[in-house]
PDB file of all heavy atoms in Angstrom:
ATOM      1  N   GLY A 376     -34.883  19.060   0.364  1.00 97.00           N
ATOM      2  CA  GLY A 376     -36.327  19.152   0.504  1.00 97.00           C
ATOM      3  C   GLY A 376     -37.070  18.802  -0.752  1.00 97.00           C
ATOM      4  O   GLY A 376     -38.293  18.623  -0.737  1.00 97.00           O
ATOM      5  N   GLU A 392     -38.451   9.318 -12.690  1.00 97.00           N
ATOM      6  CA  GLU A 392     -39.309  10.179 -11.871  1.00 97.00           C
ATOM      7  C   GLU A 392     -40.323   9.345 -11.096  1.00 97.00           C
ATOM      8  O   GLU A 392     -40.539   9.566  -9.890  1.00 97.00           O
ATOM      9  CB  GLU A 392     -40.035  11.198 -12.751  1.00 97.00           C
ATOM     10  CG  GLU A 392     -40.909  12.150 -11.944  1.00 97.00           C
ATOM     11  CD  GLU A 392     -41.710  13.084 -12.811  1.00 97.00           C
ATOM     12  OE1 GLU A 392     -42.305  12.621 -13.798  1.00 97.00           O
ATOM     13  OE2 GLU A 392     -41.755  14.285 -12.485  1.00 97.00           O
ATOM     14  N   ARG A 393     -40.962   8.388 -11.764  1.00 97.00           N
ATOM     15  CA  ARG A 393     -41.975   7.572 -11.096  1.00 97.00           C
ATOM     16  C   ARG A 393     -41.375   6.793  -9.929  1.00 97.00           C
ATOM     17  O   ARG A 393     -41.942   6.779  -8.821  1.00 97.00           O
ATOM     18  CB  ARG A 393     -42.606   6.610 -12.108  1.00 97.00           C
ATOM     19  CG  ARG A 393     -43.631   5.649 -11.491  1.00 97.00           C
ATOM     20  CD  ARG A 393     -44.212   4.719 -12.536  1.00 97.00           C
ATOM     21  NE  ARG A 393     -43.192   3.927 -13.199  1.00 97.00           N
ATOM     22  CZ  ARG A 393     -42.625   2.838 -12.695  1.00 97.00           C
ATOM     23  NH1 ARG A 393     -42.954   2.417 -11.478  1.00 97.00           N
ATOM     24  NH2 ARG A 393     -41.723   2.153 -13.385  1.00 97.00           N
ATOM     25  N   LEU A 395     -38.626   7.377  -8.212  1.00 98.00           N
ATOM     26  CA  LEU A 395     -38.186   8.258  -7.134  1.00 98.00           C
ATOM     27  C   LEU A 395     -39.361   8.750  -6.313  1.00 98.00           C
ATOM     28  O   LEU A 395     -39.295   8.780  -5.071  1.00 98.00           O
ATOM     29  CB  LEU A 395     -37.396   9.439  -7.699  1.00 98.00           C
ATOM     30  CG  LEU A 395     -35.964   9.140  -8.122  1.00 98.00           C
ATOM     31  CD1 LEU A 395     -35.359  10.343  -8.825  1.00 98.00           C
ATOM     32  CD2 LEU A 395     -35.118   8.758  -6.909  1.00 98.00           C
ATOM     33  N   GLN A 396     -40.448   9.136  -6.964  1.00 97.00           N
ATOM     34  CA  GLN A 396     -41.584   9.630  -6.196  1.00 97.00           C
ATOM     35  C   GLN A 396     -42.208   8.530  -5.357  1.00 97.00           C
ATOM     36  O   GLN A 396     -42.716   8.779  -4.254  1.00 97.00           O
ATOM     37  CB  GLN A 396     -42.631  10.243  -7.118  1.00 97.00           C
ATOM     38  CG  GLN A 396     -43.702  11.036  -6.386  1.00 97.00           C
ATOM     39  CD  GLN A 396     -43.138  12.219  -5.607  1.00 97.00           C
ATOM     40  OE1 GLN A 396     -42.941  13.289  -6.147  1.00 97.00           O
ATOM     41  NE2 GLN A 396     -42.867  12.024  -4.317  1.00 97.00           N
ATOM     42  N   GLU A 397     -42.136   7.273  -5.848  1.00 97.00           N
ATOM     43  CA  GLU A 397     -42.649   6.152  -5.060  1.00 97.00           C
ATOM     44  C   GLU A 397     -41.820   5.921  -3.802  1.00 97.00           C
ATOM     45  O   GLU A 397     -42.353   5.507  -2.767  1.00 97.00           O
ATOM     46  CB  GLU A 397     -42.654   4.880  -5.914  1.00 97.00           C
ATOM     47  CG  GLU A 397     -43.726   4.856  -6.997  1.00 97.00           C
ATOM     48  CD  GLU A 397     -43.576   3.662  -7.927  1.00 97.00           C
ATOM     49  OE1 GLU A 397     -42.554   2.935  -7.796  1.00 97.00           O
ATOM     50  OE2 GLU A 397     -44.447   3.459  -8.791  1.00 97.00           O
ATOM     51  N   ARG A 398     -40.531   6.215  -3.866  1.00 98.00           N
ATOM     52  CA  ARG A 398     -39.640   5.881  -2.756  1.00 98.00           C
ATOM     53  C   ARG A 398     -39.337   7.057  -1.830  1.00 98.00           C
ATOM     54  O   ARG A 398     -38.853   6.848  -0.714  1.00 98.00           O
ATOM     55  CB  ARG A 398     -38.333   5.305  -3.305  1.00 98.00           C
ATOM     56  CG  ARG A 398     -38.538   3.962  -4.003  1.00 98.00           C
ATOM     57  CD  ARG A 398     -37.248   3.370  -4.485  1.00 98.00           C
ATOM     58  NE  ARG A 398     -36.305   3.136  -3.380  1.00 98.00           N
ATOM     59  CZ  ARG A 398     -35.083   2.627  -3.564  1.00 98.00           C
ATOM     60  NH1 ARG A 398     -34.679   2.292  -4.778  1.00 98.00           N
ATOM     61  NH2 ARG A 398     -34.288   2.455  -2.525  1.00 98.00           N
ATOM     62  N   LEU A 399     -39.610   8.255  -2.282  1.00 98.00           N
ATOM     63  CA  LEU A 399     -39.277   9.430  -1.477  1.00 98.00           C
ATOM     64  C   LEU A 399     -40.546  10.135  -1.002  1.00 98.00           C
ATOM     65  O   LEU A 399     -41.591  10.060  -1.651  1.00 98.00           O
ATOM     66  CB  LEU A 399     -38.423  10.406  -2.290  1.00 98.00           C
ATOM     67  CG  LEU A 399     -37.066   9.884  -2.760  1.00 98.00           C
ATOM     68  CD1 LEU A 399     -36.367  10.930  -3.630  1.00 98.00           C
ATOM     69  CD2 LEU A 399     -36.187   9.520  -1.567  1.00 98.00           C
ATOM     70  N   ASP A 400     -40.425  10.840   0.114  1.00 96.00           N
ATOM     71  CA  ASP A 400     -41.558  11.603   0.631  1.00 96.00           C
ATOM     72  C   ASP A 400     -41.321  13.100   0.480  1.00 96.00           C
ATOM     73  O   ASP A 400     -41.799  13.914   1.264  1.00 96.00           O
ATOM     74  CB  ASP A 400     -41.832  11.250   2.090  1.00 96.00           C
ATOM     75  CG  ASP A 400     -40.692  11.656   3.020  1.00 96.00           C
ATOM     76  OD1 ASP A 400     -39.592  11.991   2.510  1.00 96.00           O
ATOM     77  OD2 ASP A 400     -40.891  11.647   4.252  1.00 96.00           O
ATOM     78  N   ILE A 401     -40.566  13.468  -0.547  1.00 97.00           N
ATOM     79  CA  ILE A 401     -40.343  14.864  -0.902  1.00 97.00           C
ATOM     80  C   ILE A 401     -40.694  15.030  -2.379  1.00 97.00           C
ATOM     81  O   ILE A 401     -40.731  14.057  -3.132  1.00 97.00           O
ATOM     82  CB  ILE A 401     -38.877  15.299  -0.654  1.00 97.00           C
ATOM     83  CG1 ILE A 401     -37.899  14.417  -1.444  1.00 97.00           C
ATOM     84  CG2 ILE A 401     -38.562  15.281   0.840  1.00 97.00           C
ATOM     85  CD1 ILE A 401     -36.446  14.851  -1.344  1.00 97.00           C
ATOM     86  N   PRO A 402     -40.974  16.263  -2.822  1.00 98.00           N
ATOM     87  CA  PRO A 402     -41.355  16.468  -4.215  1.00 98.00           C
ATOM     88  C   PRO A 402     -40.245  16.068  -5.190  1.00 98.00           C
ATOM     89  O   PRO A 402     -39.071  16.403  -4.993  1.00 98.00           O
ATOM     90  CB  PRO A 402     -41.616  17.975  -4.288  1.00 98.00           C
ATOM     91  CG  PRO A 402     -41.920  18.380  -2.898  1.00 98.00           C
ATOM     92  CD  PRO A 402     -41.073  17.503  -2.026  1.00 98.00           C
ATOM     93  N   VAL A 403     -40.630  15.341  -6.230  1.00 98.00           N
ATOM     94  CA  VAL A 403     -39.739  15.006  -7.342  1.00 98.00           C
ATOM     95  C   VAL A 403     -40.398  15.544  -8.602  1.00 98.00           C
ATOM     96  O   VAL A 403     -41.561  15.216  -8.895  1.00 98.00           O
ATOM     97  CB  VAL A 403     -39.522  13.482  -7.450  1.00 98.00           C
ATOM     98  CG1 VAL A 403     -38.623  13.166  -8.644  1.00 98.00           C
ATOM     99  CG2 VAL A 403     -38.920  12.934  -6.166  1.00 98.00           C
ATOM    100  N   PHE A 404     -39.675  16.354  -9.368  1.00 97.00           N
ATOM    101  CA  PHE A 404     -40.281  17.120 -10.456  1.00 97.00           C
ATOM    102  C   PHE A 404     -39.308  17.139 -11.623  1.00 97.00           C
ATOM    103  O   PHE A 404     -38.203  17.665 -11.501  1.00 97.00           O
ATOM    104  CB  PHE A 404     -40.548  18.541  -9.948  1.00 97.00           C
ATOM    105  CG  PHE A 404     -41.293  19.455 -10.879  1.00 97.00           C
ATOM    106  CD1 PHE A 404     -42.681  19.443 -10.926  1.00 97.00           C
ATOM    107  CD2 PHE A 404     -40.614  20.365 -11.670  1.00 97.00           C
ATOM    108  CE1 PHE A 404     -43.368  20.323 -11.741  1.00 97.00           C
ATOM    109  CE2 PHE A 404     -41.286  21.241 -12.496  1.00 97.00           C
ATOM    110  CZ  PHE A 404     -42.679  21.229 -12.534  1.00 97.00           C
ATOM    111  N   ILE A 569     -43.157  26.869  -8.075  1.00 98.00           N
ATOM    112  CA  ILE A 569     -43.711  25.562  -7.707  1.00 98.00           C
ATOM    113  C   ILE A 569     -42.950  24.970  -6.534  1.00 98.00           C
ATOM    114  O   ILE A 569     -43.537  24.507  -5.548  1.00 98.00           O
ATOM    115  CB  ILE A 569     -43.696  24.612  -8.920  1.00 98.00           C
ATOM    116  CG1 ILE A 569     -44.751  25.048  -9.942  1.00 98.00           C
ATOM    117  CG2 ILE A 569     -43.942  23.164  -8.476  1.00 98.00           C
ATOM    118  CD1 ILE A 569     -44.718  24.267 -11.239  1.00 98.00           C
ATOM    119  N   ALA A 573     -44.193  24.362  -2.672  1.00 98.00           N
ATOM    120  CA  ALA A 573     -44.144  22.998  -2.132  1.00 98.00           C
ATOM    121  C   ALA A 573     -43.284  22.925  -0.879  1.00 98.00           C
ATOM    122  O   ALA A 573     -43.644  22.263   0.104  1.00 98.00           O
ATOM    123  CB  ALA A 573     -43.622  22.044  -3.198  1.00 98.00           C
ATOM    124  N   VAL A 576     -44.847  24.434   2.452  1.00 97.00           N
ATOM    125  CA  VAL A 576     -45.802  23.617   3.224  1.00 97.00           C
ATOM    126  C   VAL A 576     -45.279  22.196   3.441  1.00 97.00           C
ATOM    127  O   VAL A 576     -46.008  21.321   3.881  1.00 97.00           O
ATOM    128  CB  VAL A 576     -47.180  23.570   2.520  1.00 97.00           C
ATOM    129  CG1 VAL A 576     -47.790  24.951   2.457  1.00 97.00           C
ATOM    130  CG2 VAL A 576     -47.087  22.947   1.129  1.00 97.00           C
ATOM    131  N   ARG A 577     -43.994  21.980   3.106  1.00 97.00           N
ATOM    132  CA  ARG A 577     -43.360  20.666   3.249  1.00 97.00           C
ATOM    133  C   ARG A 577     -44.176  19.572   2.559  1.00 97.00           C
ATOM    134  O   ARG A 577     -44.467  18.523   3.125  1.00 97.00           O
ATOM    135  CB  ARG A 577     -43.131  20.317   4.716  1.00 97.00           C
ATOM    136  CG  ARG A 577     -42.168  21.265   5.405  1.00 97.00           C
ATOM    137  CD  ARG A 577     -41.955  20.881   6.860  1.00 97.00           C
ATOM    138  NE  ARG A 577     -41.201  21.942   7.545  1.00 97.00           N
ATOM    139  CZ  ARG A 577     -41.054  22.020   8.859  1.00 97.00           C
ATOM    140  NH1 ARG A 577     -41.603  21.107   9.637  1.00 97.00           N
ATOM    141  NH2 ARG A 577     -40.361  23.002   9.399  1.00 97.00           N
ATOM    142  N   ALA A 578     -44.533  19.844   1.312  1.00 98.00           N
ATOM    143  CA  ALA A 578     -45.341  18.891   0.548  1.00 98.00           C
ATOM    144  C   ALA A 578     -44.575  17.599   0.315  1.00 98.00           C
ATOM    145  O   ALA A 578     -43.353  17.613   0.131  1.00 98.00           O
ATOM    146  CB  ALA A 578     -45.749  19.501  -0.788  1.00 98.00           C
ATOM    147  N   SER A 579     -45.286  16.506   0.310  1.00 97.00           N
ATOM    148  CA  SER A 579     -44.662  15.202   0.077  1.00 97.00           C
ATOM    149  C   SER A 579     -44.506  14.903  -1.401  1.00 97.00           C
ATOM    150  O   SER A 579     -43.734  14.021  -1.785  1.00 97.00           O
ATOM    151  CB  SER A 579     -45.493  14.100   0.729  1.00 97.00           C
ATOM    152  OG  SER A 579     -46.813  14.095   0.208  1.00 97.00           O
ATOM    153  N   ARG A 580     -45.235  15.642  -2.241  1.00 97.00           N
ATOM    154  CA  ARG A 580     -45.149  15.423  -3.684  1.00 97.00           C
ATOM    155  C   ARG A 580     -45.753  16.631  -4.382  1.00 97.00           C
ATOM    156  O   ARG A 580     -46.375  17.482  -3.744  1.00 97.00           O
ATOM    157  CB  ARG A 580     -45.892  14.147  -4.087  1.00 97.00           C
ATOM    158  CG  ARG A 580     -47.381  14.160  -3.797  1.00 97.00           C
ATOM    159  CD  ARG A 580     -48.047  12.801  -3.919  1.00 97.00           C
ATOM    160  NE  ARG A 580     -47.821  12.173  -5.194  1.00 97.00           N
ATOM    161  CZ  ARG A 580     -47.037  11.095  -5.375  1.00 97.00           C
ATOM    162  NH1 ARG A 580     -46.419  10.558  -4.332  1.00 97.00           N
ATOM    163  NH2 ARG A 580     -46.883  10.556  -6.559  1.00 97.00           N
ATOM    164  N   ILE A 581     -45.603  16.695  -5.697  1.00 98.00           N
ATOM    165  CA  ILE A 581     -46.248  17.731  -6.499  1.00 98.00           C
ATOM    166  C   ILE A 581     -47.324  17.046  -7.326  1.00 98.00           C
ATOM    167  O   ILE A 581     -47.037  16.201  -8.168  1.00 98.00           O
ATOM    168  CB  ILE A 581     -45.229  18.469  -7.386  1.00 98.00           C
ATOM    169  CG1 ILE A 581     -44.260  19.264  -6.509  1.00 98.00           C
ATOM    170  CG2 ILE A 581     -45.951  19.410  -8.358  1.00 98.00           C
ATOM    171  CD1 ILE A 581     -43.088  19.860  -7.250  1.00 98.00           C
ATOM    172  N   THR A 582     -48.568  17.394  -7.062  1.00 97.00           N
ATOM    173  CA  THR A 582     -49.709  16.743  -7.683  1.00 97.00           C
ATOM    174  C   THR A 582     -50.135  17.457  -8.963  1.00 97.00           C
ATOM    175  O   THR A 582     -49.705  18.578  -9.252  1.00 97.00           O
ATOM    176  CB  THR A 582     -50.900  16.727  -6.718  1.00 97.00           C
ATOM    177  OG1 THR A 582     -51.318  18.094  -6.496  1.00 97.00           O
ATOM    178  CG2 THR A 582     -50.522  16.098  -5.384  1.00 97.00           C
ATOM    179  N   GLU A 583     -51.036  16.800  -9.716  1.00 96.00           N
ATOM    180  CA  GLU A 583     -51.599  17.437 -10.905  1.00 96.00           C
ATOM    181  C   GLU A 583     -52.332  18.712 -10.516  1.00 96.00           C
ATOM    182  O   GLU A 583     -52.265  19.717 -11.222  1.00 96.00           O
ATOM    183  CB  GLU A 583     -52.547  16.469 -11.617  1.00 96.00           C
ATOM    184  CG  GLU A 583     -51.869  15.279 -12.259  1.00 96.00           C
ATOM    185  CD  GLU A 583     -50.864  15.692 -13.315  1.00 96.00           C
ATOM    186  OE1 GLU A 583     -51.266  16.303 -14.328  1.00 96.00           O
ATOM    187  OE2 GLU A 583     -49.658  15.415 -13.130  1.00 96.00           O
ATOM    188  N   MET A 585     -51.680  20.719  -8.071  1.00 98.00           N
ATOM    189  CA  MET A 585     -50.706  21.777  -7.778  1.00 98.00           C
ATOM    190  C   MET A 585     -50.155  22.379  -9.064  1.00 98.00           C
ATOM    191  O   MET A 585     -49.938  23.589  -9.161  1.00 98.00           O
ATOM    192  CB  MET A 585     -49.579  21.219  -6.908  1.00 98.00           C
ATOM    193  CG  MET A 585     -50.032  20.853  -5.491  1.00 98.00           C
ATOM    194  SD  MET A 585     -48.889  19.732  -4.633  1.00 98.00           S
ATOM    195  CE  MET A 585     -47.500  20.827  -4.288  1.00 98.00           C
ATOM    196  N   VAL A 623     -49.667  27.139  -5.333  1.00 98.00           N
ATOM    197  CA  VAL A 623     -49.207  25.763  -5.147  1.00 98.00           C
ATOM    198  C   VAL A 623     -49.352  25.342  -3.685  1.00 98.00           C
ATOM    199  O   VAL A 623     -49.787  24.222  -3.386  1.00 98.00           O
ATOM    200  CB  VAL A 623     -47.749  25.617  -5.629  1.00 98.00           C
ATOM    201  CG1 VAL A 623     -47.137  24.306  -5.166  1.00 98.00           C
ATOM    202  CG2 VAL A 623     -47.697  25.711  -7.147  1.00 98.00           C
ATOM    203  N   ALA A 627     -51.665  22.310  -2.392  1.00 98.00           N
ATOM    204  CA  ALA A 627     -51.085  21.202  -1.622  1.00 98.00           C
ATOM    205  C   ALA A 627     -51.893  20.945  -0.355  1.00 98.00           C
ATOM    206  O   ALA A 627     -52.152  19.782   0.010  1.00 98.00           O
ATOM    207  CB  ALA A 627     -49.636  21.514  -1.271  1.00 98.00           C
ATOM    208  N   GLU A 630     -55.195  19.296  -1.271  1.00 97.00           N
ATOM    209  CA  GLU A 630     -55.074  17.912  -1.732  1.00 97.00           C
ATOM    210  C   GLU A 630     -54.474  16.976  -0.692  1.00 97.00           C
ATOM    211  O   GLU A 630     -54.270  15.781  -0.963  1.00 97.00           O
ATOM    212  CB  GLU A 630     -54.254  17.876  -3.025  1.00 97.00           C
ATOM    213  CG  GLU A 630     -54.923  18.661  -4.151  1.00 97.00           C
ATOM    214  CD  GLU A 630     -54.485  18.216  -5.537  1.00 97.00           C
ATOM    215  OE1 GLU A 630     -53.546  17.406  -5.634  1.00 97.00           O
ATOM    216  OE2 GLU A 630     -55.099  18.670  -6.510  1.00 97.00           O
ATOM    217  N   GLY A 631     -54.189  17.516   0.481  1.00 97.00           N
ATOM    218  CA  GLY A 631     -53.742  16.665   1.587  1.00 97.00           C
ATOM    219  C   GLY A 631     -52.302  16.196   1.519  1.00 97.00           C
ATOM    220  O   GLY A 631     -51.933  15.222   2.174  1.00 97.00           O
ATOM    221  N   VAL A 632     -51.439  16.898   0.744  1.00 98.00           N
ATOM    222  CA  VAL A 632     -50.033  16.506   0.679  1.00 98.00           C
ATOM    223  C   VAL A 632     -49.143  17.476   1.429  1.00 98.00           C
ATOM    224  O   VAL A 632     -47.920  17.302   1.453  1.00 98.00           O
ATOM    225  CB  VAL A 632     -49.558  16.374  -0.788  1.00 98.00           C
ATOM    226  CG1 VAL A 632     -50.321  15.276  -1.501  1.00 98.00           C
ATOM    227  CG2 VAL A 632     -49.667  17.706  -1.541  1.00 98.00           C
ATOM    228  N   ALA A 633     -49.742  18.505   2.057  1.00 98.00           N
ATOM    229  CA  ALA A 633     -48.970  19.459   2.857  1.00 98.00           C
ATOM    230  C   ALA A 633     -48.788  18.903   4.270  1.00 98.00           C
ATOM    231  O   ALA A 633     -49.681  18.250   4.812  1.00 98.00           O
ATOM    232  CB  ALA A 633     -49.666  20.807   2.897  1.00 98.00           C
ATOM    233  N   ARG A 634     -47.635  19.181   4.850  1.00 95.00           N
ATOM    234  CA  ARG A 634     -47.366  18.706   6.206  1.00 95.00           C
ATOM    235  C   ARG A 634     -47.182  19.861   7.183  1.00 95.00           C
ATOM    236  O   ARG A 634     -46.757  19.659   8.321  1.00 95.00           O
ATOM    237  CB  ARG A 634     -46.140  17.789   6.196  1.00 95.00           C
ATOM    238  CG  ARG A 634     -46.446  16.437   5.550  1.00 95.00           C
ATOM    239  CD  ARG A 634     -45.243  15.557   5.425  1.00 95.00           C
ATOM    240  NE  ARG A 634     -44.326  16.056   4.404  1.00 95.00           N
ATOM    241  CZ  ARG A 634     -43.326  15.339   3.879  1.00 95.00           C
ATOM    242  NH1 ARG A 634     -43.126  14.103   4.282  1.00 95.00           N
ATOM    243  NH2 ARG A 634     -42.539  15.848   2.953  1.00 95.00           N
TER     244      ARG A 634
END
Side-chain angles (χ1 to χ4, degrees):
E392 182 185 46
R393 177 180 58 79
L395 283 173
Q396 192 61 85
E397 288 173 353
R398 294 183 60 181
L399 298 176
D400 65 347
I401 58 175
V403 178
F404 186 85
I569 288 174
V576 297
R577 296 180 189 168
S579 59
R580 62 193 305 109
I581 293 171
T582 66
E583 291 300 297
M585 292 162 72
V623 167
E630 298 203 352
V632 297
R634 288 175 289 195

